[in-house]
Amino acid sequence: MGTSLKYSVLITAYKEPNTIGKAIDSFAVQMDPRISELIVVCPDEETTEVVLQRAEIYPFVRHVQDPKLGKPAALNIGMKEIRGEMVFLSDGDVWVGEDSLAPMLKILEDPKVGAVTARPISISPRTTMLGFWSHLLTHAIHEMRQTRDKEGRFLILSGYYFAYKPALIDKIPEDALSEDAVISHMLFDQDYQVRYCQQAEVYVKYPTTYKDWLIQKVRSAGGYAQDYIRKSKHNMRSPLSEAIHGTSLALKFPKTLKESAWTYMLFIARVHLWSLVFINVRVMKRPLSTLWKRVETTK
């Protein structure tokens, strides 16, 4: 990894030819090619073809081959290739909002700051139960991050879009289920601040079936049951913290009786989720290769 550029954008993708172009475009129009680069790490030919097409338009875009060993491994491969003093991480099935790079760069230039995270915005319809859940959960995490940021407390980065100083972390554990949470803890343990930039938005399509919702959430929440995070002195997300801090936020969010009913259904779903996390991660100790399953309805 060199450091001849001010910043790098690193996108990981897999079988996302229909969305990777928009993901690249949303970054590229904000980037200064004199001081930056954009790297996409992906294994499949369909996505790679789109990346190479974009590289013809934007010379600062390039592709790095992914051996298909999981997202943490893909990130580690990409981190060896970047040349930026700061790196922005995102996914191939989301896109960032206008003027989202500059405010995050400004925050990250503070020597006390190790990382900064953006604000996920759900593009799923609020008129369905799962779409409503996505709006409720993104609102709740926004409120929590906003409060913690103002108070200078520990907060978790959003894996959809965040930036950090790669010199502070040379490698991500390749069995980590929640690389965003692991990076957050590693930086905070080094006494670096993890900040929240709510002006920087990232637009996300959430699962449309309960099966896909569970697949996605068991993987992401499962990371909090791994020793990297479970044994940390810092705590932002767990079944207990959800019950204590999230219940009142959730109950204030519904606007109709139908949404209130969906909120109570979400409480039941979260109990189901955390029980699956306990069984799969704590008891059966299933590996990333088993728990990391593709969710088709978010593409």
Side-chain angles (χ1 to χ4, degrees):
M1 180 183 71
T3 55
S4 59
L5 297 174
K6 184 173 183 179
Y7 65 92
S8 303
V9 173
L10 179 58
I11 298 175
T12 52
Y14 174 55
K15 290 187 178 181
E16 292 161 343
N18 297 325
T19 56
I20 188 63
K22 187 170 185 177
I24 293 172
D25 292 342
S26 67
F27 276 109
V29 295
Q30 305 178 50
M31 295 172 65
D32 182 344
R34 297 169 299 177
I35 59 171
S36 63
E37 64 180 350
L38 190 154
I39 296 173
V40 180
V41 183
C42 64
D44 60 291
E45 292 182 3
E46 298 86 354
T47 307
T48 300
E49 183 179 352
V50 179
V51 175
L52 295 178
Q53 290 171 356
R54 286 304 194 276
E56 294 180 1
I57 303 171
Y58 312 112
F60 52 91
V61 171
R62 61 190 173 101
H63 169 258
V64 171
Q65 186 63 37
D66 176 5
K68 203 176 173 182
L69 297 175
K71 185 176 180 180
L75 287 172
N76 285 333
I77 289 169
M79 294 303 293
K80 292 179 181 178
E81 296 287 334
I82 66 167
R83 295 180 293 148
E85 296 176 359
M86 295 173 273
V87 59
F88 290 81
L89 302 186
S90 192
D91 295 328
D93 58 353
V94 303
W95 72 91
V96 301
E98 296 179 3
D99 300 320
S100 67
L101 278 169
M104 292 178 73
L105 276 171
K106 185 176 181 180
I107 292 173
L108 202 55
E109 285 171 353
D110 185 333
K112 295 178 293 185
V113 176
V116 57
T117 192
R119 178 182 181 181
I121 303 292
S122 174
I123 62 168
S124 300
R126 185 167 170 156
T127 52
T128 66
M129 183 176 74
L130 286 164
F132 170 76
W133 286 1
S134 71
H135 285 269
L136 188 160
L137 291 170
T138 52
H139 170 74
I141 199 67
H142 161 68
E143 291 290 325
M144 284 189 240
R145 283 193 177 114
Q146 192 175 42
T147 299
R148 285 174 173 266
D149 186 56
K150 288 180 179 177
E151 296 175 352
R153 297 165 61 197
F154 173 69
L155 61 85
I156 295 290
L157 299 162
S158 167
Y160 293 115
Y161 181 28
F162 69 93
Y164 75 102
K165 295 170 181 172
L168 303 178
I169 299 175
D170 59 355
K171 189 176 182 181
I172 302 167
E174 296 196 353
D175 64 340
L177 293 170
S178 300
E179 76 288 339
D180 46 1
V182 171
I183 291 172
S184 306
H185 283 78
M186 291 173 76
L187 291 170
F188 209 76
D189 286 343
Q190 295 179 60
D191 295 323
Y192 284 97
Q193 297 175 9
V194 177
R195 297 290 309 280
Y196 179 45
C197 182
Q198 61 179 308
Q199 303 100 307
E201 297 178 342
V202 55
Y203 299 93
V204 184
K205 181 184 178 185
Y206 288 87
T208 61
T209 68
Y210 186 63
K211 179 182 178 181
D212 275 0
W213 185 87
L214 276 179
I215 289 173
Q216 184 187 72
K217 299 301 181 184
V218 166
R219 192 274 303 166
S220 59
Y224 295 81
Q226 291 181 301
D227 287 348
Y228 302 118
I229 299 170
R230 187 173 62 86
K231 293 184 178 181
S232 171
K233 60 185 177 182
H234 314 299
N235 184 22
M236 180 175 166
R237 187 178 178 188
S238 67
L240 181 60
S241 63
E242 274 194 12
I244 294 172
H245 304 293
T247 301
S248 60
L249 281 173
L251 292 175
K252 293 176 183 177
F253 190 72
K255 295 180 179 179
T256 65
L257 287 175
K258 180 185 284 188
E259 289 186 348
S260 294
W262 286 343
T263 301
Y264 286 106
M265 291 296 292
L266 178 58
F267 290 154
I268 297 172
R270 298 301 287 188
V271 173
H272 186 198
L273 162 65
W274 283 111
S275 65
L276 290 176
V277 167
F278 180 79
I279 293 169
N280 283 280
V281 181
R282 295 285 303 281
V283 177
M284 302 185 72
K285 299 186 184 300
R286 288 181 170 166
L288 179 143
S289 58
T290 300
L291 294 177
W292 197 294
K293 298 178 181 178
R294 181 174 168 81
V295 178
E296 295 292 344
T297 59
T298 62
K299 311 305 178 188

